[in-house]
């Protein structure tokens, strides 16, 4: 396939950085990753970034945190709702819920959620970006209070691939190069760039991740307990490794954005 006839030249160097692997989640397997920070990070300011390719549509949770009490300070989840709108929930209300829907299982979406309750401008405390562009049309929006602590980045359970609180709504599809920045609200330019009018990944290895930050590149195929050799190995340098559940080595695949 590396020929001009197929409009592909692997030696052209078009991409400055290429994501080599993604992790496949099968909702029927109840597959997920989990991690509990050893201590709380910054619960006012953080950034989450991931490349997402959906499998089954409908209600699917991507990333969540739960501290054991169903209140807005300890529960948060990034998910697609039952109508396939991208949503950032805190307990029973929505911080953000898009108007548009995400129903293309062939597409990679790059999602960035920047959270910063220290921002004096209420509308800038939670910002959502899709493929490098800020999302501004929401069917629901609730701005968090200034300087408020919220659920993600506390020293309690965090899950990738399911809703921690409900123990259900498992994600189905692929995730690639999942990044979490503890203590900074970044823009998409830290994670991607536009080239020939296409939004493509950038290498995030030079970012400052913070003590409780992490980067999951899915370079390892070991399963089970978190370590440098298992699927949830953190490659940020912060050693915040994740434990895999109901995942197998063959769920690490070469599908890539």
């Amino acid at each position: 396939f590396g020929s001009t006839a197929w409009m592909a030249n692997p030696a052209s160097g078009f991409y400055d950085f290429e994501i080599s692997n993604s992790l496949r989640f099968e909702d029927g397997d109840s597959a997920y990753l989990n991690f509990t920070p050893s201590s709380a990070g910054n619960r006012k300011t953080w950034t989450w970034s991931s490349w997402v390719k959906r499998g089954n549509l409908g209600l699917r949770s991507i990333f969540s945190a739960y501290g054991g009490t169903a209140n807005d300070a300890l529960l948060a989840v990034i998910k697609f709702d039952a109508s396939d709108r991208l949503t950032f929930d805190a307990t029973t209300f929505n911080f953000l819920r898009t108007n548009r829907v995400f129903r293309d299982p062939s597409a990679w979406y790059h999602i960035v959620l920047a959270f910063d309750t220290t921002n004096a401008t209420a509308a800038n405390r939670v910002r959502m970006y899709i493929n490098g562009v800020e999302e501004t049309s929401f069917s629901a929006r609730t701005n968090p209070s200034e300087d408020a602590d919220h659920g993600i980045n506390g020293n309690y359970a965090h899950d990738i691939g399911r809703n921690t609180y409900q123990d259900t709504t498992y994600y189905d599809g692929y995730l690639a190069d999942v990044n979490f920045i503890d203590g900074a609200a970044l823009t998409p330019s830290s994670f991607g760039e536009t080239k020939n009018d296409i939004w493509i990944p950038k290498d995030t290895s030079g970012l400052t991740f913070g003590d409780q930050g992490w980067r999951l590149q899915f370079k390892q195929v070991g399963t089970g307990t978190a370590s440098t050799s298992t699927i949830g190995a953190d490659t940020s340098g912060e050693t915040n490794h994740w434990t895999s559940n109901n995942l197998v080595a063959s769920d690490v695949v070469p599908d890539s954005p």
Side-chain angles (χ1 to χ4, degrees), residues 4-256:
T4 55
W6 288 97
M7 295 181 288
N9 181 1
S12 67
F14 178 81
Y15 296 104
D16 296 323
F17 169 73
E18 293 185 35
I19 293 175
S20 57
N21 297 316
S22 61
L23 183 60
R24 176 178 55 201
F25 293 80
E26 166 57 56
D27 58 352
D29 294 337
S30 302
Y32 69 100
L33 299 165
N34 71 283
F35 164 66
T36 300
S38 57
S39 60
N42 192 326
R43 292 172 54 201
K44 293 179 173 69
T45 308
W46 49 262
T47 309
W48 180 88
S49 163
S50 181
W51 291 84
V52 178
K53 184 179 180 183
R54 303 197 69 185
N56 289 331
L57 303 183
L59 180 59
R60 298 287 184 271
S61 298
I62 306 171
F63 174 54
S64 65
Y66 179 51
T69 303
N71 60 60
D72 63 348
L74 297 179
L75 172 61
V77 56
I78 301 170
K79 68 182 181 183
F80 295 105
D81 72 7
S83 299
D84 300 307
R85 297 168 298 188
L86 186 60
T87 302
F88 176 45
D89 267 355
T91 314
T92 57
F93 62 92
N94 303 104
F95 277 153
L96 298 177
R97 184 200 300 135
T98 62
N99 273 309
R100 69 163 161 160
V101 298
F102 299 83
R103 291 176 175 158
D104 185 354
S106 69
W108 281 98
Y109 301 106
H110 180 233
I111 301 170
V112 174
L113 193 72
F115 188 83
D116 183 12
T117 63
T118 69
N119 197 307
T121 302
N124 290 338
R125 292 174 194 155
V126 186
R127 305 179 78 169
M128 180 186 291
Y129 306 86
I130 311 295
N131 295 338
V133 179
E134 184 166 7
E135 196 74 11
T136 57
S137 178
F138 298 101
S139 61
R141 178 177 193 126
T142 303
N143 299 315
S145 302
E146 189 170 2
D147 289 321
D149 284 324
H150 280 277
I152 289 173
N153 213 17
N155 61 329
Y156 35 78
H158 290 62
D159 285 350
I160 293 174
R162 72 168 184 173
N163 185 323
T164 312
Y165 169 59
Q166 294 176 320
D167 198 26
T168 56
T169 63
Y170 289 90
Y171 176 66
D172 190 279
Y174 303 79
L175 298 179
D177 206 6
V178 189
N179 290 259
F180 183 81
I181 309 299
D182 173 15
L186 304 182
T187 64
S189 61
S190 294
F191 310 97
E193 60 184 337
T194 300
K195 196 164 189 178
N196 287 12
D197 298 322
I198 302 297
W199 186 252
I200 62 173
K202 286 171 64 173
D203 186 3
T204 63
S205 60
L207 296 178
T208 299
F209 288 84
D211 290 346
Q212 301 304 333
W214 35 267
R215 183 187 188 190
L216 305 184
Q217 293 181 274
F218 311 120
K219 291 186 171 183
Q220 306 296 329
V221 296
T223 58
T225 304
S227 77
T228 57
S229 61
T230 54
I231 289 172
D234 171 23
T235 59
S236 72
E238 299 295 338
T239 66
N240 294 313
H241 307 302
W242 290 62
T243 296
S244 64
N245 301 269
N246 304 318
L247 289 157
V248 297
S250 58
D251 287 320
V252 176
V253 294
D255 298 63
S256 169

